[in-house]
Amino acid sequence: MAAVVKADAYGLGAVATSRALAQAGARTFFTATTNEALVIRKALGEGPQVFVLNGPTGADAETMKGARLTPVLNSLEQVKLWAARGPAALHIDTGMNRLGLGPEELPHAAVALRDTTLALVMSHLACASSPAHPMNEVQLKRFIDAATLFPKAPRSLAATAGAQIGAAYHFDLLRVGVGLYGSGGLDENVMNLACAAIVDAPILQVRNVEPGETFGYGATFAADKKMRTATVSLGYADGYLRSLSGHGYGVLGGARRPILGRVSMDLVIVDVTGCDEAREGAMVEFLGPSAKLDEIAALAGTAPYELLTTFAGTVRKTGVRA
Ligand SMILES: *Cc1c(COP(=O)(O)O)cnc(C)c1O
């Protein structure tokens, strides 16, 4: 199993995350870009293998070679550009039409890569988030057929969701990203994974509010009874998406505290009526064991991937819960 740590390890912080994963036994890493891979190489030293999914784009081929990175070659142009600089992976397109070589290009690649060690042949599934989708089997079959041209190379097809379709999809290496961080990557039948990312924020102010009072920009929520509310130091500038306005919740004192009205840039208002723990400085959990990644993403109308990667540098990445 390889660890996918692209996009700053899905927003969790590439250095701390890749070190923790290496300590837990990870030896193979995937990034999207060369710059991301250089960060991982520097953090982990020479031991681990670091694949670069987007491949070489020009001048960075020499940089990749110098840092002993393993590019994923996604086109005949990239195959020529790499030209036996060292081991490489080859991406076969099996239906996503995003990156990778098509069937008619593969024989040319096989010739051009005669003197290159193929560390991996890989492809990527378009519909793995619905395991019963017929596209999965179509891509599996195309992958098996195409990979016969490269009989000595280890094979990799599945990411987090694909790994759950069945053993036929596992081959030699799983490329797991979001599964490391708290989501099973499926559209339905959400797995109950431990959450690696915790976002909590302090209460700045507690208010007692009369019926008829409204909250925040646009006055989109009105109290229909006496309420206690807490204004919390978290907003969309931190990555707490504005689409959670009126939908999201924080957790305090073991219960869900609904968001009232709109999420502001740096502030959010939650309902803490009847909550004894609500006082200035108390920490409210917005993502974590009690506010699960998959559920919060669904409430925001997005995928767990986007929710995680949107959390900004303003959210301090401590690595451990304070
Ligand atoms: C992002 C990515 C992965 C990891 O996907 P998860 O769904 O996060 O496990 C694996 N392979 C490729 C090619 C990717 O782009």
Side-chain angles (χ1 to χ4, degrees), residues 4 6 10 53 98 122 124 159-161 175-179 305:
V4 181
K6 64 193 180 193
Y10 289 48
L53 285 166
R98 191 175 68 166
M122 58 164 274
H124 195 48
T160 299
R175 308 183 306 271
V176 177
V178 82
Y305 301 85

Side-chain angles (χ1 to χ4, degrees), residues 201-209 215 227-234 250 252 257-260 262 267-275 277-284 286:
I203 292 178
L204 300 175
Q205 196 174 106
V206 179
R207 306 172 76 89
N208 293 304
V209 182
F215 301 90
M227 293 178 85
R228 260 178 113 222
T229 66
T231 306
V232 183
S233 178
L234 184 74
L252 180 65
R257 312 292 171 186
I259 286 172
L260 304 176
R262 285 196 191 145
L267 298 168
V268 67
I269 304 167
V270 294
D271 180 359
V272 291
T273 307
C275 173
E277 290 85 351
R279 65 186 87 85
E280 255 179 57
M283 297 298 275
V284 182
F286 290 89

Side-chain angles (χ1 to χ4, degrees), residues 227-312:
M227 293 178 85
R228 260 178 113 222
T229 66
T231 306
V232 183
S233 178
L234 184 74
Y236 60 77
D238 305 302
Y240 195 72
L241 297 173
R242 197 164 172 275
S243 57
L244 286 160
S245 299
H247 297 296
Y249 62 86
V251 176
L252 180 65
R256 293 180 177 195
R257 312 292 171 186
I259 286 172
L260 304 176
R262 285 196 191 145
V263 176
S264 309
M265 187 179 286
D266 311 287
L267 298 168
V268 67
I269 304 167
V270 294
D271 180 359
V272 291
T273 307
C275 173
D276 295 337
E277 290 85 351
R279 65 186 87 85
E280 255 179 57
M283 297 298 275
V284 182
E285 179 182 310
F286 290 89
L287 187 68
S290 311
K292 288 283 190 178
L293 177 57
D294 280 313
E295 190 192 344
I296 304 298
L299 290 172
T302 186
Y305 301 85
E306 188 182 31
L307 189 71
L308 279 183
T309 54
T310 302
F311 278 108

Side-chain angles (χ1 to χ4, degrees), residues 151-225:
K152 286 194 223 126
R155 294 177 292 173
S156 172
L157 178 62
T160 299
Q164 298 164 72
I165 303 175
Y169 289 76
H170 289 184
F171 297 97
D172 300 302
L173 189 71
L174 300 172
R175 308 183 306 271
V176 177
V178 82
L180 298 170
Y181 309 118
S183 168
L186 302 182
D187 296 338
E188 286 163 29
N189 299 324
V190 165
M191 280 172 104
N192 195 21
L193 291 175
C195 189
I198 294 167
V199 173
D200 39 29
I203 292 178
L204 300 175
Q205 196 174 106
V206 179
R207 306 172 76 89
N208 293 304
V209 182
E210 294 300 317
E213 291 288 326
T214 59
F215 301 90
Y217 286 118
T220 56
F221 181 88
D224 58 359
K225 56 180 191 313

